[in-house]
Amino acid sequence: MERKKLIEFLECNEPVLEYNGREYGICYPNGDYMFYPTDDEDDTIVFQSAEDLIDNLIIDGVPFQDIADEVFKEYFE
C-alpha cells in the first residue's frame, strides 16, 4: 500500500486487523497511536504519529508496511 494512502487511512480510522491468527487494534487517543492485541491490551505499544507506527511497528518479525495491504484489504474492497 502506498505510504501516503496508509497514513491517511490511519489518521481517519481506528482499524482492527488480523495477522497470523491474532487480532490487533489501532487507536489514537490524545494524539498518540496505540497498537495492541485485542486479547491483551496490557501489551500496548505507543507511537507518536501514524508515520512513527508505519516506520517502526514490527508484527511477528515482519514490518507493518509489508503486511498493510494484506491486513487492510477488507477496508479497500
Side-chain angles (χ1 to χ4, degrees):
M1 176 178 298
E2 181 184 314
R3 180 181 172 81
K4 182 179 176 183
K5 184 175 180 179
L6 182 55
I7 291 168
E8 289 172 359
F9 173 72
L10 292 175
E11 289 176 341
C12 297
N13 296 279
E14 293 190 346
V16 173
L17 58 111
E18 186 175 325
Y19 186 70
N20 282 345
R22 194 163 186 200
E23 188 174 81
Y24 301 92
I26 298 173
C27 63
Y28 47 94
N30 304 318
D32 290 330
Y33 283 74
M34 302 175 79
F35 175 83
Y36 58 92
T38 59
D39 62 352
D40 184 5
E41 292 185 17
D42 290 335
D43 201 17
T44 299
I45 304 170
V46 179
F47 298 92
Q48 298 300 310
S49 64
E51 293 90 343
D52 184 28
L53 185 147
I54 292 167
D55 292 341
N56 297 298
L57 178 60
I58 306 291
I59 305 173
D60 289 343
V62 180
F64 177 69
Q65 176 80 34
D66 293 352
I67 62 169
D69 282 334
E70 175 187 342
V71 299
F72 292 138
K73 66 182 173 189
E74 69 185 64
Y75 291 93
F76 295 99
E77 290 181 334

